[in-house]
């Protein structure tokens, strides 16, 4: 499912002509690839992710068929560090790492649970409720990306940013 495979049903319908079924890397092209518990991925899948992330191409070889397709994506992953470490090569593919903790305030925590219950009861209504806010946020992000090439930072500011970042480690 990650890299792609032969679609046997479609192959039979095509009279034996092999038909490629794109995987998640193809679906994530020019978008986001989300991997839950990324630190628990088998080594061979980590190697595939690293290759695709580095080259921007995924090459699949199955049953005598070789297909290459674009695989440029932003990698987002979650993990529980208590369940194992992340390979350093894969860690380098993440531009940002955030520790997430559960809210300690009872009112805030109950609101999180309430929102989750609302989502599970009626996904469509929940999505519609947050649609405008998400669109506004997406527009802000897009605008920031457009302005980024015009941003310049002095050496002094870069040094200050680096000092602040190193204090968080």
């Amino acid at each position: 499912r990650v890299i792609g495979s032969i679609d046997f049903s479609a192959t039979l319908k095509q009279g034996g002509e092999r038909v490629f079924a794109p995987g998640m890397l193809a679906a994530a092209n020019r978008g986001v690839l989300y991997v839950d518990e990324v630190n628990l991925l088998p080594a061979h899948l980590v190697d595939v992710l690293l290759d695709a992330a580095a080259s921007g191409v995924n090459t699949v070889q199955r049953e005598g068929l070789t297909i290459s397709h674009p695989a440029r994506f932003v990698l987002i992953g979650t993990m529980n560090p208590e369940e194992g470490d992340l390979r350093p090569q894969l860690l380098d593919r993440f531009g940002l790492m955030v520790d997430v903790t559960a809210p300690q305030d009872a009112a805030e925590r109950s609101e999180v649970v309430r929102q989750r219950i609302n989502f599970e009861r009626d996904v469509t209504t929940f999505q519609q409720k947050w649609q405008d806010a998400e669109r506004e946020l997406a527009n802000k992000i897009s605008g920031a990306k457009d302005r980024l090439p015009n941003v310049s930072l002095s050496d002094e500011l870069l040094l200050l940013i680096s000092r602040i970042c190193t204090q968080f480690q």
Side-chain angles (χ1 to χ4, degrees), residues 28-118:
N29 186 46
R30 298 179 56 176
V32 172
L33 178 64
Y34 170 77
V35 181
D36 193 23
E37 297 185 351
V38 68
N39 56 322
L40 302 180
L41 281 177
H44 72 282
L45 288 181
V46 171
D47 292 339
V48 168
L49 283 179
L50 288 171
D51 288 345
S55 68
V57 175
N58 180 38
T59 299
V60 182
Q61 296 178 332
R62 293 279 188 271
E63 308 296 325
L65 180 69
T66 300
I67 292 188
S68 294
H69 62 80
R72 297 193 182 283
F73 51 86
V74 173
L75 183 60
I76 296 178
T78 61
M79 65 176 272
N80 181 346
E82 295 171 1
E83 295 176 346
D85 293 328
L86 190 60
R87 284 179 41 187
Q89 305 92 324
L90 191 54
L91 183 59
D92 288 344
R93 290 291 161 189
F94 293 98
L96 176 67
M97 190 168 93
V98 178
D99 286 327
V100 177
T101 58
Q104 299 302 308
D105 177 69
E108 184 179 358
R109 192 173 188 129
S110 65
E111 180 59 24
V112 170
V113 172
R114 188 177 301 107
Q115 292 295 339
R116 180 62 195 192
I117 291 169
N118 289 341

Side-chain angles (χ1 to χ4, degrees), residues 20 38 56 77-78 87 102 112 117-118 129 139 145-146 159-160:
F20 178 67
V38 68
T78 61
R87 284 179 41 187
V112 170
I117 291 169
N118 289 341
K129 176 182 177 184
N139 289 338
K145 286 173 70 176
D146 291 343
L159 185 59
L160 174 62

Side-chain angles (χ1 to χ4, degrees), residues 6 8-19:
I6 301 293
F8 290 105
S9 178
T11 297
L12 290 174
K13 291 176 185 173
Q14 294 293 326
E17 183 179 331
R18 293 183 190 106
V19 177

Side-chain angles (χ1 to χ4, degrees), residues 96-97 153 155-169:
L96 176 67
M97 190 168 93
L153 299 173
D155 288 340
E156 293 80 19
L157 187 54
L158 284 172
L159 185 59
L160 174 62
I161 292 168
S162 297
R163 282 188 188 134
I164 292 169
C165 289
T166 57
Q167 291 174 359
F168 286 110
Q169 293 184 7

